[in-house]
């Protein structure tokens, strides 16, 4: 049991849901769909799935003690978390809305497209119409000169 909670933010392990690492951690494809659970996934991916499930239980507990508790979660926008059935079910259960942002719109030198799921109307409004995503139409201060996210920089970028 937890005490009173006004808000909770969850940053799930992204490495095994990453589009770049999916072949290693979740290699099986059946009828054109990536298999995200079961014996074919890596031990690290099994642990990541367990973390997501545990976080969903923490969300339920937070809402039990405070039905008005604000919830937010994040993961790379190009990753496979969005297709993980327990997460899809939780998004519906908690009424979370997905909005994408790029970190460069907040001053970071890397673009890194990230999804935020939340029940915060102000965030939904602020991030509507991809206003917080860098593009030619809505450029950031680094537009055309973002730092590349590869190798060691990719590992460092996972901290954001």
């Amino acid at each position: 049991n937890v005490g009173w909670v006004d808000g909770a933010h969850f940053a799930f392990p992204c490495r095994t849901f990453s589009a770049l690492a999916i072949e290693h951690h979740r290699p099986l494809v059946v009828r054109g769909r990536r298999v995200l659970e079961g014996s074919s996934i890596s031990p690290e991916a099994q642990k990541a799935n367990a973390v997501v499930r545990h976080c969903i239980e923490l969300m339920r507990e937070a809402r039990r003690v405070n039905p008005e508790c604000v919830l937010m979660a994040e993961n790379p926008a190009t990753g496979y978390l969005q297709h993980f059935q327990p997460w899809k079910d939780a998004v519906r259960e908690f009424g979370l809305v997905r909005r994408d942002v790029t970190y460069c719109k907040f001053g970071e030198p890397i673009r890194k497209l990230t999804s935020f799921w939340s029940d915060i109307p102000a965030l939904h409004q602020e991030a509507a119409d991809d206003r917080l995503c860098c593009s030619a139409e809505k450029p950031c201060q680094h537009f055309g000169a973002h730092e590349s996210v590869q190798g060691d920089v990719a590992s460092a970028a996972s901290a954001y």
Side-chain angles (χ1 to χ4, degrees), residues 82-122:
Q82 62 191 311
H83 304 294
F84 185 49
Q85 194 61 52
W87 179 242
K88 289 168 60 173
D89 294 343
V91 166
R92 280 190 297 278
E93 176 181 344
F94 299 117
L96 304 179
V97 175
R98 177 183 170 183
R99 291 290 187 251
D100 293 340
V101 304
T102 53
Y103 278 51
C104 58
K105 288 291 240 180
F106 300 91
E108 292 298 328
I110 59 169
R111 188 171 179 278
K112 194 172 184 192
L113 183 62
T114 301
S115 293
F116 284 87
W117 289 268
S118 81
D119 57 355
I120 306 170

Side-chain angles (χ1 to χ4, degrees), residues 98-152:
R98 177 183 170 183
R99 291 290 187 251
D100 293 340
V101 304
T102 53
Y103 278 51
C104 58
K105 288 291 240 180
F106 300 91
E108 292 298 328
I110 59 169
R111 188 171 179 278
K112 194 172 184 192
L113 183 62
T114 301
S115 293
F116 284 87
W117 289 268
S118 81
D119 57 355
I120 306 170
L123 176 62
H124 305 164
Q125 185 176 4
E126 186 64 30
D129 303 321
D130 292 329
R131 279 183 275 181
L132 297 178
C133 288
C134 181
S135 66
E137 297 79 33
K138 300 169 191 146
C140 74
Q141 66 189 25
H142 304 288
F143 188 73
H146 294 111
E147 284 185 16
S148 179
V149 182
Q150 297 176 21
D152 291 341

